[in-house]
Amino acid sequence: MAHLQRIIMQLLGFFALFALRVGASFTQFTSIDAGQGTKWAVLVAGSTGYENYRHQANVCHAYQILKKGGLKEENIIVFMYDDVAFDKENPRPGVLINRPGGKDVYAGVKKDYTGEDVNEHNILAAILGDYSTIIGGSKKVVNSGRDDYILLYFTDHGGSGRFVLPKGGYLYADKLNKTLWKKHELGTYKQMMIYFDCCHSGSMFEGLLSNDMNIYVATSAKPAEKSYLTYCDEELYQTCLSSQFSAAWMEDSDQYDRATRTLAEQYEVVKHRVTRSKATQYGDISMTKDTLSTYMGTQLLSTSNFSSTSKFSGSVSEYDADIYILIRKASQAFTSRSEKNKEDAEQELYEALKKRAHIDDAFTAIAVHLFGKNKGPKLLNQFPKPGQPVVNDWDCYRKSVETYDKYCGSSTYALKYMGLFANMCNAGGLNSQLAQAVAKACR
């Protein structure tokens, strides 16, 4: 009889626990682990093309860090176009490195969303855990519960309040922050950390992210700043291998014991090594007392002689990387004996500089058309005061960007001027003359 009573009590305990978890949500019931909970990660490289080698190499390096830290493959979600490793310009087909002399970081990376499946909708759905609306890809999402820890990492080009995605797509700051708030409301994580690496990355969170959501963010730049690249002087590769911010946090994660090193200690190293822009923190800064292992898992201490605090080499801004690389290519071509190589390199550089000059002139013309000769040019580089979001009317901003892309085409270099459209929307909404001004400037 006593034995039967024990069995009945165990069953009652089980069903009570089951009822509590089902009440919280089915998602939580299926994902909660004992103890600290499950570690999850979403890694996003938004660019395409060999000239943007660094972004996909960054994500692959982050993947290797997390795998070595013990995160399960099913808990790491990778978004990358995946067109660089086997690009004809890659001197080592099927291999990506993230620093000079570094190991291959591409091998073994499980890509969940590639090509045009790397888009705003899928990224936000994956973060939220909404696999039912995912289109394409592996359908893998952050199926997290209330005790789980999440790391989000983004690397690419960016402009005011937006992160660039393949084929003219963008991830906008308002939609990202709404998704984070919704996930917080659902109670499907314990703590979340975000590393965001792109120009104007601070504008993705400034004035938008609350500090009471158990989310900590570090960005590569303040809202008005460009981000900078590194390892751009490798002769074999003719491209940049990484960015200052990404290299700083990942090399630190490789080098130190993650079970004892804190986010605060890592941030200090990042601030020291990111010299051309200002790494900035948002959200719940008290979370920086957490150890790296909370989100990245642990690893054995590195036996490498490489120093994760050394000064970066070959640094250049995201906006100027293409010109820097073309200048290097032209320089090498002029030392060769091939006249055709010299002419091709010179022409490619000339066309790139000509396109930039046209974009400069176009935005000045648009600004003058909309706001006049005195006020217009000032709005090209004007940003809100600290603590305020870069955009107030996001629908207006999206329509402005769509209008520009329609008549002028999307361009990485043009991102530096997108504050003009933000200022226009903040000043009074969509200007009825915008389409006419853009079409005239870009004809």
Side-chain angles (χ1 to χ4, degrees):
M1 179 66 71
H3 177 66
L4 182 59
Q5 287 178 335
R6 282 197 299 271
I7 292 175
I8 291 172
M9 292 301 293
Q10 288 173 354
L11 287 173
L12 288 172
F14 171 80
F15 283 116
L17 178 61
F18 178 82
L20 283 171
R21 286 182 169 179
V22 168
S25 77
F26 178 74
T27 299
Q28 291 178 355
F29 175 74
T30 57
S31 64
I32 291 176
D33 286 355
Q36 278 200 331
T38 300
K39 293 175 175 61
W40 296 83
V42 178
L43 313 176
V44 182
S47 66
T48 64
Y50 183 76
E51 66 274 15
N52 292 310
Y53 181 108
R54 57 199 175 273
H55 302 132
Q56 293 182 35
N58 285 344
V59 155
C60 289
H61 188 178
Y63 181 93
Q64 302 297 349
I65 287 172
L66 299 176
K67 280 288 288 181
K68 289 178 181 177
L71 270 72
K72 298 176 182 178
E73 181 182 300
E74 58 264 32
N75 297 128
I76 307 173
I77 304 170
V78 175
F79 287 83
M80 58 183 279
Y81 202 83
D82 197 25
D83 62 338
V84 173
F86 292 96
D87 188 280
K88 63 182 181 180
E89 289 191 67
N90 189 359
R92 298 174 64 190
V95 172
L96 295 179
I97 64 173
N98 207 210
R99 66 178 179 85
K103 296 179 180 179
D104 176 22
V105 293
Y106 184 75
V109 175
K110 302 298 180 183
K111 284 82 67 177
D112 296 288
Y113 300 91
T114 59
E116 295 188 19
D117 292 336
V118 181
N119 58 60
E120 183 183 60
H121 172 82
N122 282 347
I123 292 169
L124 297 179
I127 293 171
L128 194 58
D130 184 11
Y131 69 88
S132 65
T133 65
I134 292 280
I135 301 172
S138 69
K139 307 292 185 182
K140 192 192 297 184
V141 299
V142 180
N143 191 28
S144 55
R146 63 179 177 270
D147 293 328
D148 293 354
Y149 295 84
I150 302 172
L151 183 153
L152 307 182
Y153 170 52
F154 295 81
T155 175
D156 192 20
H157 298 285
S160 294
R162 63 192 175 116
F163 174 82
V164 176
L165 294 171
K167 305 300 179 182
Y170 304 103
L171 169 63
Y172 282 91
D174 65 324
K175 290 191 175 183
L176 173 61
N177 282 273
K178 285 177 183 177
T179 298
L180 297 178
W181 176 253
K182 187 173 182 180
K183 194 162 185 70
H184 173 70
E185 287 292 285
L186 289 171
T188 51
Y189 68 92
K190 185 172 184 178
Q191 292 182 177
M192 182 189 303
M193 67 165 290
I194 304 173
Y195 277 157
F196 217 100
D197 187 4
C198 67
C199 291
H200 307 286
S201 47
S203 67
M204 297 296 291
F205 303 98
E206 184 87 27
L208 297 170
L209 181 68
S210 172
N211 62 4
D212 60 357
M213 293 167 57
N214 294 334
I215 298 177
Y216 165 73
V217 179
T219 67
S220 59
K222 299 181 79 171
E225 292 180 333
K226 298 178 286 187
S227 287
Y228 284 78
L229 315 179
T230 190
Y231 306 142
C232 301
D233 49 3
E234 286 295 289
E235 185 173 336
L236 179 64
Y237 284 88
Q238 296 292 341
T239 190
C240 299
L241 302 181
S242 190
S243 52
Q244 288 192 351
F245 179 83
S246 291
W249 81 258
M250 285 192 278
E251 289 170 2
D252 185 80
S253 299
D254 281 330
Q255 190 76 12
Y256 291 94
D257 182 357
R258 293 182 220 146
T260 59
R261 195 161 185 80
T262 65
L263 292 175
E265 290 172 321
Q266 182 162 95
Y267 179 70
E268 288 303 313
V269 169
V270 170
K271 277 202 308 181
H272 174 74
R273 298 190 76 192
V274 177
T275 57
R276 304 292 297 278
S277 63
K278 183 175 176 57
T280 307
Q281 299 176 107
Y282 296 94
D284 187 352
I285 310 301
S286 71
M287 287 170 53
T288 57
K289 67 181 183 301
D290 293 345
T291 61
L292 301 183
S293 61
T294 305
Y295 307 92
M296 305 177 197
T298 57
Q299 70 161 11
L300 295 174
L301 288 176
S302 172
T303 57
S304 170
N305 293 323
F306 175 77
S307 171
S308 66
T309 59
S310 59
K311 186 177 180 180
F312 285 124
S313 64
S315 295
V316 61
S317 81
E318 278 276 9
Y319 291 145
D320 298 325
D322 57 339
I323 299 299
Y324 178 84
I325 292 166
L326 289 175
I327 289 173
R328 287 191 60 213
K329 285 182 178 179
S331 179
Q332 288 190 353
F334 275 86
T335 62
S336 72
R337 296 181 179 181
S338 171
E339 288 299 322
K340 186 177 186 308
N341 286 349
K342 295 177 184 177
E343 291 175 3
D344 288 348
E346 189 176 43
Q347 183 63 28
E348 189 176 7
L349 177 58
Y350 171 76
E351 291 297 333
L353 292 171
K354 181 181 176 182
K355 183 178 179 180
R356 280 185 164 223
H358 179 66
I359 291 172
D360 291 335
D361 293 341
F363 270 97
T364 300
I366 294 169
V368 169
H369 186 112
L370 296 178
F371 299 102
K373 291 182 179 180
N374 293 327
K375 186 178 179 181
K378 296 177 183 178
L379 294 177
L380 290 171
N381 298 298
Q382 180 176 301
F383 287 83
K385 295 178 180 179
Q388 296 180 347
V390 70
V391 180
N392 294 322
D393 186 342
W394 289 94
D395 288 335
C396 168
Y397 185 52
R398 268 184 282 273
K399 289 176 183 176
S400 302
V401 172
E402 289 169 5
T403 300
Y404 177 83
D405 287 353
K406 175 183 177 181
Y407 291 103
C408 307
S410 60
S411 164
T412 299
Y413 182 69
L415 290 168
K416 68 184 290 184
Y417 292 122
M418 289 299 157
L420 172 66
F421 298 144
N423 288 325
M424 177 193 72
C425 293
N426 293 342
L430 195 65
N431 192 306
S432 60
Q433 299 184 52
L434 178 63
Q436 178 185 350
V438 171
K440 182 179 179 180
C442 293
R443 65 186 177 188

